[in-house]
Structure formats: structure tokens, C-alpha cells
């Protein structure tokens, strides 16, 4: 188990803003309190279109998957899902090739080389949504099918993007997991990156709206910044524990750094079982705390399913069965996935890792 040796600093490091609920004024859209799925809002297709693609319907196609980088567990998992789907489909040869560091220039060069070699399809997870757009548009202009997953590009630079989770979906999973562990009237605090980080701001804003709608008894104490720094995250969580004492029943970690650091702080404070930690993190970072029964819920998504879905989407795009204006797409064992936001395919609800399943994942 990772043990941080630097103990809590003074409260001067706590950049708190009481009951801070989000950094923008965009409207929230909290999901239903039960498991009722949201109805996607109708939006016109805003993706790109390949120029004069050959007839690929039912024919064997060659697809290259270019993730942000290779050699890490997360993208090993997406590649595994792509390979699994390709085997099921039977008419798609898929390989993964990406930079060894999350470098946009290297990723662009790789994609450009595959355009030259004449692949039928390109899957990507963008290191930079804007910088990658020209080379993806070049692929579309060459008649190649282009589908993104995990990290999007500008919409018109690809046909479809497989979105792993929406903001309100993450919010529901986080708050439901917290309430299940702490009870309906518990007090909690949040450790986030910064108050201006877009994803975290939207997640927290949606969490506030969902908690007010579905768990009104929860008491939100405060939100603190930790800037995705391991030591600062630990110190912030430790300060919250000392500041609120027995009143603090839960900590929500909004980053893959803050969540294990908060779990470490709770562990070192001897608060396992009395202070719940729920957060966004990778399974490998949280296994020690989950297996020690200090953390019960880790929220993310299943990257194997994400890659699997992306492979089915690009096959459907190549076959012409997934056309602009479609409302869903068939994705093998995942069933029919909804089209949202014009040209995005929603993987589904976030995945909650628990002691029962976390050992099945390695990333």
C-alpha cells in the first residue's frame, strides 16, 4: 500500500470555498433518482463525412487504433476490447499502434503514415482535440472511416466519438455510491483538482444538482483544491479529517490522484469504516484500499468495453448502417448504444469497481 510519509501541513494549504458547487453557469441536467435512462436530446449530426469511400459493406476492412499512447494499462485495456470485438465481427483486422508518450506530434505522424499506407479505418483517442483535427480531416478526405473514443477531436474531424460517460452520469454514480455508504444524512467534503478545471467543475456542479434532487439530506461541507498533486491531495484530505472530526462521514475524490491520496489519509488517520472515500480513480491505484475494506466504491468506466464499442461503431460506419441522424447503434454484447449530442455514442452508465470485481482489471 502506498504510504505517504509527509503528514498534514497547516490549514493554510487548504484553499477551501464552502459548498462550492461548480465553476460555470451552464445549466445542470441531473438524472432521475432511479435507474431510468435519460432521453437524449435531439441534435443534428455534427461529425464529418468521408469523401467518396469505397463500398466496404460486409467486406473485410483493415483498421488501425492510435490511442494517446501505448504501454499503459488503460490503453492496453481499450486495445483488448477492440481486438475482442474484431474477432467477434470476423471481417475486421484491427491493430493498435501509438506513441510511447502522450505526444500529439508523434500521434499525428503515426496517423499520417497510416493514411498513406491506405487503411480502411482509423480509431483514435486524441492527445489534443484541435491539433489532431487536420490529420483526421485528411483521413476523411481520403475516404477513410474515422471514429474517436476516450478523448475527442473537433467533431467535424471524425465521424463518430464513443463517449465513455456524461457529466450527469458520473455525478449520479458518485453521489449514489456516497449515500449508500454513509447513509442519507451524512456530511461530506470534496477534494478536486482546481476550481477552474472544466471536467471537474461540470462533474461537481452536476453532483450538487443531483444531490439536491435525490439525496437532500446530505450535507456538503466544503470543496478544496489539490491541483492533482499527490502530497497536496493527501494533506488536504488529512486537514478535512482533522477539521471536521466525527462530523465528516465521506470524502469525494474528483481526480485519479486525489482519490487514492484521500484513501491513504483516511487509512493513516485510522478512519477506515467511519469516513467513506468515493472517487474517480483507476483500479490499480485503488486496489490496496479496496482489498483492505477501506474503500468500497471506485467510479470510472470499463475501458475494455470502451474499445469494444468503438470497434463496433467503426464497423457500422464502414458498412453504412450507422448514418447521420441515427439514434442508436448495435454494439455486440453491449446491446444498442444511444447516439447523443449529434455525433457521439454513449457507452453507458459509469462503471463502479468494488471488491468483487476490481481484481479483474489491470490498469
Amino acid at each position: 500500500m502506498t504510504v505517504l510519509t509527509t503528514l498534514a501541513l497547516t490549514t493554510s494549504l487548504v484553499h477551501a470555498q464552502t459548498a462550492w458547487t461548480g465553476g460555470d453557469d451552464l445549466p445542470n441536467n441531473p438524472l432521475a433518482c432511479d435507474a431510468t435512462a435519460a432521453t437524449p436530446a435531439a441534435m443534428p449530426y455534427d461529425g464529418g463525412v468521408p469523401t467518396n469511400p469505397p463500398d466496404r459493406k460486409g467486406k473485410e476492412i483493415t483498421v488501425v487504433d492510435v490511442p494517446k499512447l501505448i504501454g499503459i494499462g488503460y490503453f492496453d485495456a481499450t486495445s483488448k476490447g477492440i481486438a475482442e470485438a474484431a474477432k467477434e465481427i470476423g471481417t475486421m483486422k484491427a491493430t493498435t499502434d501509438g506513441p510511447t508518450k502522450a505526444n500529439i506530434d508523434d500521434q499525428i505522424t503515426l496517423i499520417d503514415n497510416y493514411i498513406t499506407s491506405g487503411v480502411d479505418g482509423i480509431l483514435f483517442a486524441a492527445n489534443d482535440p484541435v491539433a489532431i483535427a487536420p490529420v483526421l480531416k485528411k483521413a476523411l478526405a481520403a475516404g477513410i472511416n474515422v471514429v474517436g473514443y476516450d478523448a475527442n477531436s473537433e467533431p467535424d474531424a471524425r465521424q463518430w466519438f464513443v463517449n465513455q460517460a456524461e457529466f450527469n452520469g458520473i455525478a449520479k454514480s458518485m453521489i449514489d455510491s456516497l449515500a449508500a455508504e454513509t447513509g442519507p444524512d451524512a456530511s461530506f467534503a470534496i477534494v478536486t483538482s482546481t476550481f477552474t478545471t472544466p471536467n471537474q467543475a461540470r462533474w461537481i456542479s452536476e453532483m450538487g444538482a443531483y444531490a439536491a434532487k435525490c439525496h437532500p439530506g446530505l450535507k456538503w461541507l466544503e470543496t478544496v483544491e489539490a491541483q492533482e498533486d499527490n502530497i497536496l491531495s493527501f494533506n488536504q484530505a488529512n486537514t478535512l479529517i482533522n477539521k471536521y472530526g466525527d462530523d465528516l462521514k465521506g470524502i469525494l475524490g474528483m481526480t485519479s490522484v486525489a482519490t487514492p491520496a484521500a484513501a491513504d489519509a483516511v487509512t493513516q488517520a485510522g478512519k477506515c469504516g467511519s469516513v467513506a472515500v468515493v472517487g474517480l480513480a483507476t483500479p490499480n491505484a485503488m486496489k490496496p484500499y479496496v482489498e483492505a475494506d477501506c474503500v468500497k466504491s471506485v467510479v470510472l468506466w470499463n475501458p475494455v468495453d470502451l474499445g469494444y464499442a468503438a470497434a463496433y461503431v467503426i464497423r457500422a460506419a464502414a458498412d453504412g448502417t450507422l448514418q447521420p441522424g441515427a439514434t442508436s447503434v448495435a454494439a455486440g454484447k453491449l446491446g444498442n448504444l444511444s447516439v447523443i449530442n449529434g455525433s457521439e455514442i454513449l457507452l453507458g452508465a459509469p462503471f463502479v469497481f468494488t471488491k468483487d470485481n476490481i481484481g479483474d482489471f489491470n490498469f
Side-chain angles (χ1 to χ4, degrees):
M1 179 180 296
T2 300
V3 177
L4 296 177
T5 55
T6 302
L7 298 178
L9 302 181
T10 66
T11 54
S12 64
L13 278 177
V14 178
H15 310 291
Q17 184 174 337
T18 300
W20 178 82
T21 58
D24 60 46
D25 57 359
L26 295 175
N28 291 314
N29 182 30
L31 294 177
C33 301
D34 59 19
T36 303
T39 301
M43 288 180 59
Y45 179 76
D46 62 352
V49 178
T51 302
N52 299 320
D55 179 9
R56 299 186 171 110
K57 186 172 184 179
K59 299 177 181 177
E60 183 160 305
I61 59 173
T62 300
V63 172
V64 63
D65 162 42
V66 186
K68 288 182 179 178
L69 72 167
I70 57 173
I72 66 170
Y74 182 84
F75 285 114
D76 286 347
T78 57
S79 298
K80 180 181 177 181
I82 291 168
E84 181 184 342
K87 184 177 180 181
E88 280 184 6
I89 292 167
T91 54
M92 185 168 73
K93 180 181 179 182
T95 58
T96 294
D97 189 10
T100 55
K101 295 181 179 179
N103 182 295
I104 183 60
D105 291 334
D106 291 347
Q107 189 176 31
I108 290 170
T109 298
L110 274 169
I111 292 172
D112 204 17
N113 289 342
Y114 280 105
I115 293 171
T116 301
S117 69
V119 295
D120 299 296
I122 294 173
L123 294 167
F124 72 92
N127 280 304
D128 184 306
V130 176
I132 201 171
V135 76
L136 297 181
K137 289 180 179 177
K138 181 178 178 180
L140 289 173
I144 296 171
N145 293 110
V146 180
V147 171
Y149 67 95
D150 184 71
N152 205 355
S153 66
E154 293 178 329
D156 64 349
R158 46 68 179 161
Q159 291 175 271
W160 302 94
F161 173 71
V162 183
N163 187 338
Q164 53 268 45
E166 289 202 288
F167 295 118
N168 55 6
I170 291 285
K172 176 177 170 58
S173 287
M174 294 279 281
I175 295 297
D176 281 349
S177 295
L178 177 74
E181 295 185 35
T182 64
D185 301 315
S187 299
F188 71 96
I190 295 175
V191 181
T192 189
S193 50
T194 71
F195 292 147
T196 56
T197 305
N199 278 2
Q200 277 74 16
R202 293 300 312 146
W203 285 326
I204 292 172
S205 183
E206 289 286 353
M207 284 161 54
Y210 182 76
K213 176 180 177 181
C214 300
H215 299 284
L218 290 177
K219 182 182 178 183
W220 192 329
L221 296 171
E222 67 175 300
T223 302
V224 298
E225 293 179 304
Q227 301 170 10
E228 303 205 38
D229 179 272
N230 194 31
I231 300 297
L232 183 55
S233 295
F234 174 87
N235 288 334
Q236 294 284 50
N238 199 51
T239 300
L240 291 169
I241 292 168
N242 292 330
K243 180 177 179 179
Y244 292 106
D246 291 341
D247 287 340
L248 182 69
K249 299 301 183 185
I251 297 176
L252 293 171
M254 301 309 301
T255 75
S256 61
V257 176
T259 305
D264 203 17
V266 168
T267 300
Q268 291 200 36
K271 292 285 188 177
C272 290
S274 59
V275 177
V277 175
V278 176
L280 299 165
T282 60
N284 284 354
M286 297 304 294
K287 279 177 185 173
Y289 308 104
V290 173
E291 291 171 351
D293 288 324
C294 194
V295 173
K296 298 186 183 305
S297 304
V298 182
V299 178
L300 202 63
W301 43 84
N302 185 335
V304 177
D305 286 349
L306 181 61
Y308 180 93
Y312 267 91
V313 169
I314 201 165
R315 178 72 256 190
D319 285 342
T321 56
L322 178 58
Q323 294 278 358
T327 58
S328 67
V329 59
K333 66 179 182 181
L334 301 178
N336 290 328
L337 303 181
S338 296
V339 174
I340 61 171
N341 303 327
S343 59
E344 298 181 12
I345 311 295
L346 179 62
L347 179 63
F351 193 85
V352 180
F353 298 94
T354 67
K355 193 173 183 178
D356 291 336
N357 61 33
I358 200 166
D360 297 334
F361 299 89
N362 182 25
F363 66 93

